[in-house]
Amino acid sequence: MMFRHATSLAIAILLLFVATPLRAADAILDEVIIAARTKGMNGEAPDWPRVEREAYALLANAPGEGGRTAAIWHVLRALKDGHSFYVPPASPVSGSAGVVSHAMPSSKPPASSRRIATAYDTADGVGHLTIHAWAGRTGEIPAATREVRDGLNQALADARCGLVVDVAHNAGGNMWPMMGGIAPLYDDGVVETFQGRHDERQVVNVDDGLLRMGDSVFPRVDLPVMVRKPPQVAILLGPGTMSSGEILALGFKGQRNVRFFGQPTRGLTTANQTIRLANGGMVGLTTARILDRKGIVHNGVAGRGYGPAAAGRPRMAGTAVRETLTAWRR
């Protein structure tokens, strides 16, 4: 009797294995799943057994990088943070350095631009600096930071009345050269804070004109001093202001000599961690929320950014500057 029971049990276990074929593991996909579950800002929310099954089904239906890309995107979209992204190995930006945040939701990161800042002629005693999206390589960060500082000083050379910083079309990338280059414009003290999923915090601050994460200066590069401190700073925003572009501008929120003009931003005020994969691809995983200098949380809800409640559509550079000045002097 006992022998027949043991035999039946063995047959049942064998049938179970036959009915459920072993899944071929994929180390790359598994790494992304584990990172999303353990590090993602919303990592506790998804039904992970279901998400994993569906991701592996996508990979099984299209073996290779195409199927893996679909599977990885499925995992990241399950987080519903609107900011996590994947760059397949064939993409030229997969080697770029994204310390904070890179991308538009459900899209790809902004392409690396050789030009990160553009200074324009002073108008009515007000300088004008545009800071562009930038997602260059790690080794390019010092030069990019210097370019921003050089552009800032060029814009300030004859700017007796104030400065316009235009990030209305800055779709993000690496925040450090952007913010490091204009760091003396921020008041000393806490600029903003990254709040992780378990309330761990990293404070971005400015001390004596240097941008820091905690006590460490970022980026580590010697820069020329800012030629003058503008009495007023106008920040031009718009729906094209995303990710690190928003984080740059958010650092000025609450600063007494700064006002926002334009339209509300896109709403991607979250921090991404770069994860480089063995296949040459790259994941930008959203790992933290942003708190402004007053401790107010900005959750990064796409389509619900911050900025002026009502304003006209941002126009060409010269027109935008004139309109900004007119509005400010009222």
Side-chain angles (χ1 to χ4, degrees):
M1 183 73 174
M2 186 177 297
F3 175 76
R4 285 200 303 272
H5 178 73
T7 301
S8 299
L9 181 60
I11 292 172
I13 293 173
L14 180 61
L15 289 174
L16 177 63
F17 275 102
V18 171
T20 309
L22 291 175
R23 184 191 70 191
D26 184 274
I28 304 297
L29 179 56
D30 284 343
E31 181 180 358
V32 174
I33 292 171
I34 291 170
R37 293 185 68 165
T38 60
K39 299 179 180 180
M41 183 179 75
N42 296 339
E44 296 175 345
D47 178 351
W48 284 112
R50 178 181 60 79
V51 171
E52 188 170 346
R53 285 195 306 272
E54 292 169 351
Y56 264 97
L58 290 169
L59 180 60
N61 288 337
E65 287 300 336
R68 179 182 286 140
T69 295
I72 290 174
W73 268 112
H74 182 74
V75 171
L76 297 179
R77 289 189 179 109
L79 294 169
K80 296 183 179 179
D81 56 45
H83 201 180
S84 293
F85 67 93
Y86 174 58
V87 182
S91 171
V93 296
S94 60
S96 61
V99 179
V100 174
S101 54
H102 260 300
M104 293 167 270
S106 305
S107 185
K108 62 182 181 179
S112 177
S113 171
R114 291 294 177 184
R115 192 161 191 80
I116 185 174
T118 304
Y120 298 92
D121 292 339
T122 301
D124 297 326
V126 175
H128 180 199
L129 176 69
T130 295
I131 300 178
H132 309 286
W134 189 87
R137 297 177 182 275
T138 302
E140 298 173 323
I141 290 175
T145 309
R146 289 190 199 97
E147 183 183 337
V148 174
R149 179 62 57 85
D150 289 343
L152 174 63
N153 280 338
Q154 183 181 343
L156 288 172
D158 298 314
R160 303 176 308 278
C161 301
L163 176 70
V164 173
V165 178
D166 186 348
V167 288
H169 303 286
N170 186 324
N174 191 311
M175 84 176 204
W176 296 112
M178 301 178 197
M179 295 180 67
I182 64 167
L185 294 177
Y186 295 108
D187 286 345
D188 276 7
V190 174
V191 175
E192 52 208 359
T193 302
F194 300 153
Q195 180 188 43
R197 162 172 155 185
H198 301 295
D199 200 34
E200 62 276 22
R201 300 190 179 202
Q202 294 179 300
V203 178
V204 179
N205 64 93
V206 171
D207 184 14
D208 196 24
L210 296 176
L211 186 69
R212 300 172 184 269
M213 176 72 87
D215 296 326
S216 300
V217 175
F218 284 99
R220 296 183 180 275
V221 55
D222 291 329
L223 298 170
V225 297
M226 188 171 67
V227 295
R228 71 171 76 226
K229 184 84 169 179
Q232 294 176 311
V233 179
I235 309 294
L236 293 185
L237 303 174
T241 309
M242 309 180 200
S243 190
S244 287
E246 292 177 278
I247 292 171
L248 177 156
L250 188 62
F252 289 106
K253 191 171 183 289
Q255 189 165 314
R256 295 188 65 179
N257 69 326
V258 176
R259 285 182 60 183
F260 293 149
F261 295 86
Q263 294 177 299
T265 64
R266 181 66 173 269
L268 302 182
T269 46
T270 46
N272 281 7
Q273 176 184 341
T274 295
I275 302 172
R276 303 194 184 282
L277 304 174
N279 68 337
M282 180 182 74
V283 167
L285 180 66
T286 299
T287 58
R289 298 172 179 84
I290 304 296
L291 282 66
D292 64 27
R293 65 177 66 218
K294 294 183 177 180
I296 298 172
V297 177
H298 294 259
N299 288 308
V301 179
R304 290 165 55 188
Y306 64 91
R313 176 184 175 189
R315 297 176 174 84
M316 299 300 291
T319 304
V321 171
R322 287 193 294 272
E323 291 180 351
T324 296
L325 292 174
T326 301
W328 200 340
R329 290 170 178 171
R330 287 174 182 167

